[in-house]
Amino acid sequence: MSEVLYSARELEKVVADLAAEIAADFAGQPLLLLGLLKGCHPFLADLSRHLSRYQVELSVDYLQAKSYIGKASSGRVTISPLNPDDSFCRRRHVIVVDDIFDSGLTMKEVMAWLKERGAASVKSCVLLRKTGCSRVVMEPDYQGSVIPDAFVVGYGLDYNEQYRELPYIKILGKNEP
Ligand code: 5GP
Ligand code: MG
């Protein structure tokens, strides 16, 4: 059996609150939301829609970042830009948007990658923050909700490319494929 952690309605509130927090910090400023594929897709879409209610000059782009294989971190992050011209972040104020934060390794590597390519500032925003990781390498600037140390799927999060389409987030049951 699997356990629903956040319903679609609860996620809506978490994302709306994050947008309000970001808008308060970036009022009147140009901001690049940079989503990490593939897990960010529903979160980034909802976050940008909420941000459209505020005076933030928004643009959106993506990077592919991969560290997990199955249910475990490989310990290495592979970053693949979609655009071969990686000057897209030069002199921009960037917020990196990811679905979930565990050790922070993915976020740390991506933020360093962007700084090396001339971003004016780089912050991080994650929907979920796991607890219990013993080797946390940084702290996120914006985080939606804190969750227990379990493997979760739905709302963009996958297990071997399944479950991303669920409108809610659940803990993957032990016997589920
Ligand atoms: P970190 O690099 O912070 O240790 O791990 C973050 C990355 O690992 C996320 O971008 C996500 O791809 C993956 N990840 C971590 N925990 C989970 C989880 O519970 N479920 C899924 N589907 N992916 C996870
Ligand atoms: Mg990821």
Side-chain angles (χ1 to χ4, degrees):
M1 273 299 287
S2 62
E3 186 190 331
V4 173
L5 260 191
Y6 288 97
S7 65
R9 187 183 287 244
E10 287 166 330
L11 288 171
E12 165 92 19
K13 162 97 175 86
V14 172
V15 179
D17 289 350
L18 272 173
E21 207 184 324
I22 291 171
D25 292 348
F26 285 86
Q29 284 185 50
L31 173 63
L32 172 61
L33 284 187
L34 186 70
L36 301 189
L37 292 171
K38 301 175 192 167
C40 76
H41 80 274
F43 175 39
L44 182 64
D46 289 343
L47 184 66
S48 59
R49 276 194 287 257
H50 280 291
L51 278 167
S52 72
R53 300 189 186 134
Y54 300 92
Q55 302 298 316
V56 178
E57 222 181 281
L58 201 66
S59 38
V60 170
D61 213 327
Y62 299 92
L63 278 183
Q64 182 148 34
K66 193 168 168 58
S67 61
Y68 262 49
I69 298 173
K71 287 189 193 175
S73 172
S74 67
R76 293 189 55 202
V77 184
T78 314
I79 298 171
S80 322
L82 303 188
N83 188 337
D85 174 11
D86 59 18
S87 66
F88 70 92
C89 61
R90 196 171 295 154
R91 292 190 286 275
R92 308 291 299 276
H93 295 285
V94 184
I95 297 186
V96 182
V97 178
D98 202 6
D99 46 12
I100 189 164
F101 185 104
D102 184 19
S103 69
L105 185 68
T106 303
M107 198 49 97
K108 185 168 180 245
E109 298 278 318
V110 171
M111 290 173 86
W113 190 96
L114 291 163
K115 284 174 193 161
E116 276 168 26
R117 284 159 183 79
S121 70
V122 187
K123 293 202 179 289
S124 54
C125 173
V126 294
L127 177 69
L128 301 177
R129 166 72 191 270
K130 268 195 205 185
T131 50
C133 179
S134 58
R135 50 197 161 76
V136 176
V137 295
M138 60 166 283
E139 291 297 322
D141 296 297
Y142 303 96
Q143 64 181 38
S145 274
V146 175
I147 65 161
D149 188 11
F151 192 80
V152 293
V153 294
Y155 197 64
L157 290 146
D158 76 311
Y159 173 60
N160 291 343
E161 298 301 328
Q162 282 186 68
Y163 306 107
R164 292 193 198 274
E165 73 281 14
L166 297 178
Y168 52 84
I169 288 179
K170 67 174 189 173
I171 296 178
L172 193 66
K174 282 203 171 55
N175 300 320
E176 282 183 282

